Amino acid sequence: FDFTNLLTALLSEAQNPSGTSTKFPSSFLLSVYAVFAGVGLIMWLAIVWFGIGLDSGEVSNADNDNSEKLMGDEHVEPRPSAQSPRGGPATGVAEQIVEEEMPDMLGSLADRLLGLGYPGSLSMPIGIASWAMAVEWGFVAVVSDIGGEMTDPMGCSGSRGAWVARTAFTVNRACLLLGSLGSTLFPCPRGIFALLGGVFTLAVLLISLCIFGVGRAAWTTHVGQTIYIICNAIVGSFESYLTSAAYRFVGEAKNVQRMKRHNATTFLSLLSGGGVCLMGFCAGIGVDEGFLHCVEVNV
């Protein structure tokens, strides 16, 4: 997915590097997209049909083992009783019983509404990753070009603003792949993960200030335009990094049953997808109603 975003962004950049004039028709560009999509479909069908990448045992036993794996870790011993057969307290039993971690507010909400309860320790990565994905694809992807136009000192129709909008879009999509690769090559602890979430939010705030015209004079300078492009790069790279790292945190969580980890990943997917749809819907209405639009310099 991230590689596809990079590829399409580079092709669209080659077609219209200035943001104002195209070097070849869009029909040709869409035809190239169709070819890549067809190749991807054929490759996917081959993987599914021939079971490429799966052991023969995995293919035959996947359906039989799936339900058992979700219910908990293999070879789970029955929980010992808190009393001995004679009715008195059993010695050594307290050390064998591991208290299950209680869910926090977000985990309780997932459990009550969807039946997807999970430990509270996983709520931080789930919340940050869901926020990052919703903002990247539901807000920045919708209105980033407006911010680029707002950086033009000559007005909304200037060539400089069109170039900033085009460049910001391209670096945002290119950095998606870098973020995904970075999460694999350079995993981070939870503290750094939270810090990256804060930097991501700061970049989104700066993009929002530009879109709404706060400090318009500063954004129209070369420094302001560069900062706007860098903020778009940060949002793209950090979104993919945070999302990939969140799934890693959940998948590698210790002392958490498989069913709970499965619930957490499912809730992360639902929360992220729902956030993208809701934020994109609101941003789309804002653009359609004229609430979010480029304002001319002299207005």
Side-chain angles (χ1 to χ4, degrees):
F1 176 76
D2 294 329
F3 176 77
T4 303
N5 273 290
L6 172 62
L7 180 62
T8 54
L10 292 178
L11 290 174
S12 61
E13 176 75 16
Q15 182 203 29
N16 188 3
S18 64
T20 56
S21 60
T22 58
K23 296 185 176 298
F24 48 86
S26 298
S27 58
F28 175 77
L29 181 63
L30 295 176
S31 299
V32 175
Y33 289 164
V35 171
F36 281 107
V39 172
L41 176 61
I42 294 174
M43 294 176 63
W44 178 80
L45 290 174
I47 292 173
V48 174
W49 183 264
F50 297 104
I52 299 174
L54 295 177
D55 296 334
S56 58
E58 294 183 19
V59 177
S60 60
N61 299 327
D63 294 336
N64 295 332
D65 295 343
N66 185 53
S67 59
E68 295 181 2
K69 289 182 178 180
L70 291 179
M71 294 306 296
D73 293 331
E74 294 83 353
H75 310 295
V76 177
E77 298 294 336
R79 182 167 178 168
S81 174
Q83 288 187 339
S84 65
R86 297 182 179 180
T91 59
V93 173
E95 289 79 9
Q96 301 177 17
I97 300 178
V98 178
E99 292 293 337
E100 184 177 358
E101 183 181 354
M102 297 298 295
D104 60 358
M105 182 180 298
L106 190 60
S108 298
L109 180 65
D111 189 21
R112 289 177 180 274
L113 297 181
L114 304 172
L116 299 174
Y118 59 86
S121 60
L122 301 178
S123 287
M124 187 270 286
I126 289 176
I128 293 179
S130 301
W131 158 252
M133 185 177 292
V135 171
E136 160 68 4
W137 299 108
F139 179 71
V140 175
V142 177
V143 300
S144 177
D145 58 330
I146 298 176
E149 295 173 351
M150 292 285 287
T151 64
D152 196 311
M154 303 304 295
C156 297
S157 301
S159 59
R160 183 66 182 177
W163 178 85
V164 171
R166 161 58 66 187
T167 305
F169 169 83
T170 302
V171 299
N172 177 272
R173 297 302 188 270
C175 287
L176 289 171
L177 180 60
L178 298 179
S180 295
L181 294 176
S183 66
T184 301
L185 299 176
F186 307 103
C188 66
R190 287 174 176 260
I192 301 298
F193 181 88
L195 179 62
L196 295 178
V199 176
F200 173 89
T201 303
L202 177 61
V204 173
L205 177 60
L206 292 176
I207 292 175
S208 302
L209 293 177
C210 180
I211 292 173
F212 288 102
V214 180
R216 179 75 176 272
W219 290 110
T220 56
T221 63
H222 286 287
V223 174
Q225 294 167 355
T226 303
I227 292 176
Y228 184 79
I229 294 173
I230 292 176
C231 286
N232 276 267
I234 291 175
V235 169
S237 59
F238 280 32
E239 183 273 334
S240 58
Y241 185 97
L242 293 171
T243 302
S244 301
Y247 280 105
R248 177 190 292 271
F249 281 135
V250 175
E252 297 178 354
K254 298 180 179 180
N255 301 324
V256 178
Q257 291 183 345
R258 289 178 182 266
M259 187 64 184
K260 298 298 184 181
R261 297 200 299 268
H262 175 74
N263 289 348
T265 55
T266 302
F267 185 64
L268 172 56
S269 300
L270 291 175
L271 191 62
S272 301
V276 170
C277 293
L278 179 60
M279 191 165 293
F281 178 76
C282 295
I285 291 179
V287 173
D288 186 63
E289 296 295 331
F291 176 70
L292 296 173
H293 68 283
C294 180
V295 179
E296 294 293 344
V297 176
N298 295 326
V299 175

